[in-house]
Amino acid sequence: MGANTPEAAVPDTIQELTDRLTASYAHLLTAATVRDVVQDCYQPLSKARIPNYVPILVEHNSRTKLRQLARSSDGTVLLGGHSDGI
């Protein structure tokens, strides 16, 4: 498989997704938290035989989990280690 196959493009797309979500949630979650969530969502799909929809599925699942974390009152999840009740 060459470097231009869909399988090779998926990790690049996942990295781009991680970067976008890190920027979107920078005011609520740490970059490490965002990266871990994206990787957790990507891992089960990383060996998909047909990778066309993997980035879309990872983005949807990641955004759902990140929204839940951002709403959490767990101070360890929020940047700065404090919760403002969101």
Side-chain angles (χ1 to χ4, degrees):
M1 290 194 192
N4 293 327
T5 63
E7 294 84 0
V10 169
D12 291 340
T13 305
I14 298 303
Q15 183 57 51
E16 291 168 8
L17 170 63
T18 302
D19 295 343
R20 278 197 325 271
L21 291 176
T22 298
S24 294
Y25 286 89
H27 61 290
L28 295 171
L29 302 169
T30 66
T33 299
V34 174
R35 183 188 63 240
D36 291 346
V37 166
V38 172
Q39 285 302 312
D40 286 347
C41 292
Y42 173 62
Q43 192 57 40
L45 301 171
S46 64
K47 302 293 184 199
R49 288 180 48 204
I50 302 173
N52 296 12
Y53 298 105
V54 168
I56 294 167
L57 295 169
V58 172
E59 181 169 3
H60 176 75
N61 292 337
S62 296
R63 285 187 183 276
T64 299
K65 288 183 180 186
L66 290 168
R67 277 193 297 268
Q68 291 170 348
L69 286 173
R71 287 187 207 132
S72 171
S73 62
D74 181 4
T76 61
V77 174
L78 299 174
L79 250 184
H82 67 280
S83 171
D84 59 2
I86 57 172

